[in-house]
Amino acid sequence: MQIVTKDLEYVYQKGTPFEKRALFHINVTIPSHSYTAVIGHTGSGKSTLLQHLNGLLQPTGGEIRIGDLTVTSEKKGKGLKGIRQKVGIVFQFPEHQLFEETVEKDICFGPMNFGATEEEARQQAKTALKLVGLSEELLNKSPFDLSGGQMRRVAIAGVLAMNPDILVLDEPTAGLDPRGRTEIMEMFYQLYQEKGISIVLVTHSMEEASKYADSIIIMHKGTVYKKGTPKEIFSSPAELIDLGLDVPESVRFQLKLEDKIGKEIAEPSLSIDELVENIFAYIKRVNEK
Amino acid sequence: MMEKMIFGRYIPVDSPLHKMDPRAKLLTIIIFIAVVFLADNTLTYGLLAIFTLAAIWLSNIPIKFLFNGLKFLFWIILFTFFLHIFFTKEGDLLYKFGFIEIYQGGLRQGIFISLRFFFLLLVTSLLTLTTTPIEITDGIESLLKPLKKVGFPVHELSLMISIALRFIPTLMDETDKIMKAQMARGVDFSEGTIKQRAKAVVPLLIPLFINAFKRAEELATAMEARGYRGGEGRTKYRLLKWGMIDNIAILTLFILTILLLLLR
């Protein structure tokens, strides 16, 4: 399933003294089976854009095509509910949406809203819980007795259990410990590779964006500032730093090193491994001369 | 979703009403609430209408916005209107259709009571629209100060009010967020039978309550960590200033009261 936006515009609280434009002429395409990272400052319009992806917000201008469904400012389009099953959104701090008595019931909530029978939903809950790396013993526990990290996973499982084609993640690792972060990010990456679902990741971490995404969208003041592959995006680090955004650690290290020795080593390295390779190759080149 | 609600919201524009001392505003409103009940004929209701419209005009708040925000309350007014029309059986019979009988007294009562409601709603919402929550509580605290002598916990009360007012927008934002999260999980808040809709509220209310309790606890800890010890010996950063505008407001209301008493 593909999502295409055409001149998408959104104004908050239109017609009130609080009117605020959040999105201007957004044209992006999220192809099927892709991994897209959206980065930008707080207030750049990331979250607003993301809420359009399953029709939670209706554009105030332009249009968005989600699969076969077109949503414009005039019409919401029929079958929005079906879209919400196909496009699962994991909001920031998703553990805040837990409400059921048991973990199992909470995970079943989504699938059953979309018409799954109790039996099917339970099966999906089990699978989803396994996907997020929790043991089945937790199924009958109250979600409020779990640790923060576990709650986060249960909430994510609640969205995964709906079997979405596109998974939209709004800073899914915010507030987690480093190890939890890596585990959850690896889990999403695995889903992307093995199950063939698309992922849209909103993140502040350039390391996550460069490591997992195959394309990156940079949002700035409600517009798409730049889009491209991680290589393209991070090939001009100075530009990003001007925008007040970060670059991956490896790129930063390389920049500093190049600055110190006054020579260019290689293209920006997107991961520590790549950086090691590039420095190694550089040293080898220098030694041979 | 909750964007249109204007309850307890402050609109930062510049206007004479914004500049007024909160104490004057509170006094004006208290007196207004009392005198609204004095009106009992067209002339006196007309006076109240003029006062209300003048206050709205002075507040610099777009009328369309004000009315949009209070839309759902108008249904309650409409409801009371019909209650009066159908159940007050005084005066001449105006209209009869089957078991529905409308009397002149009922119509009159209906219109007057609804207008009363309407004025009260508009004027009281102007208070929160033109006064920051902090100003309101400072005003309340200052007005209630004399009660301190008899051991009434004035400071604690005003603190409670300011916390409550302070968290209205936060709770609204959160409601919006949780609603969206549950909608993404397939909940339909706007469609379905009444029973289905009532059921749809559970996944909204439970997280909301849990978060509110959590926040209350965090707030208490934060206050204690910053050495909060109640109102004893505490000075104010914002000082209230009673000015000419405030005198004029109180005087206007005084005249309004006298006129209402004379004309009723």
Side-chain angles (χ1 to χ4, degrees), chain A residues 10 12-13 16-18 51 54 56-57 81 84 89 91 96-99 106 109-110 113-114 144 158 162, chain B residues 1 3 9-12 62 64-65 178 180-188 202-203 206-207 210-211 214:
Chain A
Y10 190 75
Y12 276 104
Q13 315 206 13
T16 74
F18 299 102
Q51 288 174 38
N54 73 347
L56 279 176
L57 289 181
K81 193 159 177 178
R84 295 203 176 135
I89 298 194
F91 281 95
H96 289 170
Q97 73 200 34
L98 298 173
F99 71 100
D106 208 287
F109 181 67
N113 278 331
F114 291 115
F144 302 105
M162 298 169 2
Chain B
M1 229 146 290
E3 298 175 340
R9 236 196 183 162
Y10 172 69
I11 301 189
K64 206 177 131 207
F65 174 70
I178 297 173
K180 278 184 179 148
Q182 305 298 24
M183 276 161 80
R185 292 213 282 167
V187 178
D188 217 330
V202 176
I206 294 182
I210 290 172
N211 288 341
K214 235 186 250 161

Side-chain angles (χ1 to χ4, degrees), chain B residues 12-201:
Chain B
V13 288
D14 194 32
S15 84
L17 277 200
H18 283 76
K19 284 200 194 86
M20 270 174 76
D21 187 307
R23 286 172 297 184
K25 278 192 255 190
L26 283 166
L27 281 176
T28 320
I29 280 172
I30 293 167
I31 302 172
F32 183 78
I33 291 173
V35 298
V36 155
F37 292 94
L38 288 178
D40 64 351
N41 56 33
T42 322
L43 199 58
T44 41
Y45 271 103
L47 271 176
L48 288 179
I50 291 171
F51 178 83
T52 312
L53 290 176
I56 295 174
W57 180 69
L58 282 174
S59 71
N60 250 350
I61 286 165
I63 289 207
K64 206 177 131 207
F65 174 70
L66 188 66
F67 279 77
N68 273 338
L70 293 172
K71 228 183 226 158
F72 85 97
L73 289 170
F74 291 160
W75 290 108
I76 303 176
I77 296 181
L78 213 61
F79 178 69
T80 51
F81 176 68
F82 282 114
L83 269 188
H84 277 282
I85 270 204
F86 294 135
F87 294 105
T88 313
K89 301 203 176 342
E90 281 168 26
D92 303 331
L93 183 66
L94 286 180
Y95 183 75
K96 191 173 155 86
F97 180 79
F99 64 95
I100 298 174
E101 293 173 330
I102 296 174
Y103 290 87
Q104 202 193 357
L107 188 64
R108 199 183 139 90
Q109 274 279 36
I111 292 175
F112 280 174
I113 301 283
S114 315
L115 276 178
R116 213 175 257 180
F117 235 138
F118 192 59
F119 295 149
L120 284 178
L121 270 175
L122 286 175
V123 172
T124 43
S125 42
L126 278 185
L127 174 72
T128 47
L129 286 170
T130 63
T131 326
T132 58
I134 288 196
E135 276 181 324
I136 293 180
T137 38
D138 278 354
I140 293 176
E141 190 173 355
S142 161
L143 284 177
L144 292 180
K145 223 180 238 159
L147 288 179
K148 238 184 196 162
K149 295 217 169 68
V150 291
F152 187 79
V154 175
H155 176 80
E156 282 70 18
L157 182 78
S158 76
L159 180 72
M160 270 160 61
I161 298 172
S162 71
I163 290 176
L165 288 174
R166 154 71 184 77
F167 279 104
I168 290 175
T170 313
L171 280 175
M172 295 274 217
D173 282 351
E174 205 162 276
T175 311
D176 194 51
K177 254 188 221 153
I178 297 173
M179 254 172 116
K180 278 184 179 148
Q182 305 298 24
M183 276 161 80
R185 292 213 282 167
V187 178
D188 217 330
F189 287 103
S190 54
E191 271 164 43
T193 61
I194 291 182
K195 200 184 153 200
Q196 282 172 327
R197 283 205 213 181
K199 246 180 121 183
V201 176

Side-chain angles (χ1 to χ4, degrees), chain A residues 20-282:
Chain A
K20 203 178 159 251
R21 255 192 133 72
L23 294 178
F24 302 82
H25 302 288
I26 304 286
N27 290 300
V28 289
T29 302
I30 295 158
S32 18
H33 192 41
S34 60
Y35 197 131
T36 312
V38 182
I39 53 186
H41 266 301
T42 3
S44 61
K46 295 170 298 188
S47 293
T48 313
L49 175 62
L50 176 153
Q51 288 174 38
H52 281 89
L53 300 181
N54 73 347
L56 279 176
L57 289 181
Q58 194 180 355
T60 50
E63 63 170 52
I64 177 164
R65 275 205 303 280
I66 314 164
D68 309 322
L69 183 85
T70 308
V71 184
T72 65
S73 61
E74 282 99 41
K75 63 177 181 116
K76 264 202 158 155
K78 281 200 175 112
L80 211 54
K81 193 159 177 178
I83 288 298
R84 295 203 176 135
Q85 186 252 313
K86 291 262 168 30
V87 185
I89 298 194
V90 177
F91 281 95
Q92 245 176 67
F93 300 104
E95 57 272 28
H96 289 170
Q97 73 200 34
L98 298 173
F99 71 100
E100 277 286 12
E101 291 152 58
T102 66
V103 168
E104 184 178 34
K105 276 190 187 167
D106 208 287
I107 302 178
C108 289
F109 181 67
M112 283 172 72
N113 278 331
F114 291 115
T117 62
E118 204 173 323
E119 200 41 52
E120 287 164 357
R122 282 208 175 139
Q123 206 49 51
Q124 278 160 317
K126 253 186 214 162
T127 324
L129 202 67
K130 206 184 274 166
L131 280 176
V132 297
L134 293 177
S135 86
E136 271 182 32
E137 287 159 35
L138 295 181
L139 279 175
N140 291 315
K141 274 200 166 182
S142 159
F144 302 105
D145 289 340
L146 305 178
S147 72
Q150 284 174 323
M151 279 167 88
R152 174 80 52 99
R153 284 165 197 246
V154 169
I156 292 171
V159 175
L160 289 180
M162 298 169 2
N163 283 328
D165 288 346
I166 300 177
L167 194 58
V168 181
L169 308 160
D170 193 355
E171 291 183 50
T173 58
L176 290 183
D177 58 78
R179 202 174 134 202
R181 263 165 202 252
T182 326
E183 278 175 13
I184 285 196
M185 288 314 297
E186 287 294 332
M187 186 266 295
F188 288 134
Y189 194 61
Q190 216 178 334
L191 280 175
Y192 159 68
Q193 284 186 314
E194 287 170 11
K195 287 201 151 188
I197 61 176
S198 296
I199 290 189
V200 179
L201 170 76
V202 170
T203 182
H204 280 296
S205 156
M206 300 299 148
E207 284 78 22
E208 281 175 6
S210 66
K211 189 169 172 194
Y212 298 109
D214 47 42
S215 76
I216 293 179
I217 296 172
I218 296 183
M219 302 274 301
H220 186 62
K221 292 187 173 157
T223 58
V224 173
Y225 182 80
K226 208 175 175 189
K227 51 192 171 187
T229 62
K231 269 259 177 309
E232 286 163 3
I233 294 286
F234 294 118
S235 62
S236 44
E239 197 179 7
L240 287 178
I241 293 166
D242 273 351
L243 276 186
L245 291 169
D246 223 349
V247 290
E249 255 181 332
S250 49
V251 176
R252 221 175 331 150
F253 179 87
Q254 192 180 340
L255 281 178
K256 277 203 175 157
L257 188 66
E258 283 172 349
D259 199 35
K260 265 259 151 63
I261 58 178
K263 272 185 197 122
E264 205 165 298
I265 296 172
E267 287 188 333
S269 323
L270 296 182
S271 68
I272 304 278
D273 291 339
E274 210 182 314
L275 179 66
V276 172
E277 281 304 314
N278 282 339
I279 296 176
F280 184 69
Y282 175 77

